[in-house]
């Protein structure tokens, strides 16, 4: 694992204390089947040093504002979260950026908050859950939001949410359902022409796109049969997405992702703190040991610099590697080799 912090982590979450309190008041103690983890800027910076990340772009994970039933209260919560994120980024200049939270599924309010966050607060993009109260991205009636995001050339992190269906016993949503949720949203964004009509929106699909790289040809044939479009055009639309490596840079998944994605469209992601630091180290080592140096540099940093020009000039901070962190990295490398025989 790289010793000098240089990665730009495009998939890292924050859980402000006031947001945790509101979730608890609503009876929500977990997300995606995982208990809400502790978070603070200081603990985030410690893990970033461990993973070799110079900068992280923060986002609020599921349920976003979707647990708030009153639209006005949801809008106010989104504004409060975005103001808070802007403050964290300003207080730790160069270390944190952020994706703004939008009060979906309210399209008008979401378009207005996207405008405010991108123009007034300087957000690096926005987060959109793949489905919001059962309504998927790409469904009819969302064009007002797409127009606003397209006008600003916005980056959109598509993050999964719980499927709009009962969970299956012993299958935690984060393990499998999240991947399907992202794939459903990507399918509709392509099938309903959103990525073609709004080409200046740059969509990042979380967790290597769910099942998109693996099932892209199968989905392209289905969409072509449904719409009469060329399967090659449909595949080109799927390849227009960006993808992060959160929980996905394994010897099985990473080659598929790199074979499918366009050059420059794969970005480093950790999913901390929902993915514990040991998981982040495991998959970071999978990336470090699984690609050539040029590809590694691109995924770690230069692809993100092209997507987020404002982060490109961020100098790498002085490493703060402790003996404990060195031991953790060594343990992660050993564990990776043990569970993946033949890898170095």
């Amino acid at each position: 694992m790289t010793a000098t912090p240089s990665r730009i982590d495009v998939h890292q979450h924050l859980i402000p204390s006031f947001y945790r309190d509101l979730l608890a008041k609503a009876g929500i103690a977990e997300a995606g089947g995982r208990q809400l983890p502790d978070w603070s800027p200081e603990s985030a910076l410690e893990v970033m040093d461990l993973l070799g990340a110079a900068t992280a772009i923060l986002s609020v994970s599921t349920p976003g504002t979707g647990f708030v039933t009153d639209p006005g209260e949801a809008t106010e919560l989104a504004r409060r979260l975005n103001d808070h994120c802007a403050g964290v980024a300003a207080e730790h200049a160069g270390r944190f950026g952020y994706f703004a939270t939008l009060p979906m599924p309210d399209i008008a309010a979401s378009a207005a908050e996207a405008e405010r966050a991108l123009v007034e607060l300087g957000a690096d993009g926005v987060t959109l859950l793949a489905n919001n109260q059962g309504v998927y991205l790409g469904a009819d009636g969302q064009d007002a939001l797409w127009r606003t995001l397209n006008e600003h050339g916005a980056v959109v992190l598509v993050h999964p949410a719980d499927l709009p269906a009962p969970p299956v016993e012993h299958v935690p949503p984060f393990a499998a359902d999240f991947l399907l949720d992202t794939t459903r949203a990507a399918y509709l964004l392509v099938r309903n022409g959103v990525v073609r009509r709004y080409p200046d929106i740059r969509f990042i699909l979380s967790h290597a796109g769910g099942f998109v790289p693996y099932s892209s040809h199968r989905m392209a044939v289905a969409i072509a049969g449904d719409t009469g479009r060329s399967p090659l055009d449909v595949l080109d639309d799927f390849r227009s997405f960006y993808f992060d490596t959160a929980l996905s840079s394994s010897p099985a998944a990473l080659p598929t992702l790199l074979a499918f994605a366009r050059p420059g469209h794969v970005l480093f992601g950790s999913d901390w703190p929902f993915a514990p630091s040991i998981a982040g180290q495991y998959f970071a080592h999978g990336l470090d040991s699984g690609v050539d140096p040029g590809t590694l540099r691109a995924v770690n940093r230069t692809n993100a610099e092209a997507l987020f020009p404002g982060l490109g000039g961020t100098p790498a901070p002085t490493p703060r590697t402790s003996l404990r962190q060195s031991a953790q990295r060594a343990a992660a490398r050993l564990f990776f080799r043990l569970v993946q025989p033949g890898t170095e």
Side-chain angles (χ1 to χ4, degrees), residues 4 6 36 46 80 107 142 163 184 218-219 251 307 323:
T4 302
S6 61
L36 293 176
E46 183 177 349
R80 187 177 179 189
I107 296 299
Q142 299 172 352
L163 291 176
R184 285 177 167 181
R218 178 175 181 154
M219 294 192 297
L307 197 58
L323 291 176

Side-chain angles (χ1 to χ4, degrees), residues 212-229:
V212 168
Y214 185 82
S215 59
S216 55
H217 287 251
R218 178 175 181 154
M219 294 192 297
V221 168
I223 291 173
D226 184 24
T227 65
R229 295 177 55 199

Side-chain angles (χ1 to χ4, degrees), residues 57-95:
I57 305 179
L58 303 173
S59 57
V60 174
S61 186
T62 184
T65 66
F67 68 99
V68 181
T69 56
D70 181 83
E73 292 180 5
T75 298
E76 183 57 34
L77 176 57
R79 291 175 64 90
R80 187 177 179 189
L81 286 167
N82 294 335
D83 289 341
H84 179 83
C85 288
V88 172
E91 185 176 352
H92 302 275
R95 299 307 306 270

Side-chain angles (χ1 to χ4, degrees), residues 104-310:
M104 291 288 278
D106 188 327
I107 296 299
S110 293
E113 182 58 16
E115 179 87 21
R116 186 184 82 94
L118 294 169
V119 176
E120 297 180 20
L121 300 183
D124 296 288
V126 305
T127 306
L128 290 175
L129 298 180
N131 89 85
N132 298 272
Q133 300 176 14
V135 178
Y136 274 90
L137 301 182
D140 292 340
Q142 299 172 352
D143 287 275
L145 176 59
W146 303 135
R147 283 194 297 270
T148 297
L149 296 175
N150 194 69
E151 288 169 2
H152 292 287
V155 179
V156 175
L157 176 68
V158 178
H159 193 281
D162 288 347
L163 291 176
V168 176
E169 187 177 8
H170 303 309
V171 181
F174 77 88
D177 295 354
F178 270 17
L179 305 178
L180 175 58
D181 200 50
T182 301
T183 303
R184 285 177 167 181
Y187 188 100
L188 288 176
L189 289 168
V190 170
R191 190 260 180 212
N192 293 339
V194 174
V195 296
R196 289 243 160 181
R197 296 199 308 276
Y198 304 100
D200 292 332
I201 301 175
R202 281 76 54 80
F203 291 98
I204 303 173
L205 301 183
S206 299
H207 311 117
F211 304 131
V212 168
Y214 185 82
S215 59
S216 55
H217 287 251
R218 178 175 181 154
M219 294 192 297
V221 168
I223 291 173
D226 184 24
T227 65
R229 295 177 55 199
S230 162
L232 294 179
D233 286 345
V234 176
L235 277 172
D236 194 50
D237 285 351
F238 277 118
R239 294 184 73 235
S240 73
F241 290 118
Y242 289 77
F243 305 85
D244 72 47
T245 65
L247 300 176
S248 303
S249 46
S250 69
L254 186 59
T256 301
L257 173 61
L258 293 173
F260 176 74
R262 287 179 182 170
H265 280 226
V266 179
L267 312 161
F268 178 79
S270 71
D271 209 353
W272 189 84
F274 286 95
S277 60
I278 187 62
Q281 292 175 80
Y282 175 85
F283 287 103
H285 182 69
L287 176 63
D288 290 341
S289 61
V291 299
D292 63 85
T295 300
L296 183 61
R297 284 192 299 273
V299 174
N300 275 345
R301 188 171 184 90
T302 56
N303 293 346
E305 287 179 329
L307 197 58
F308 304 98

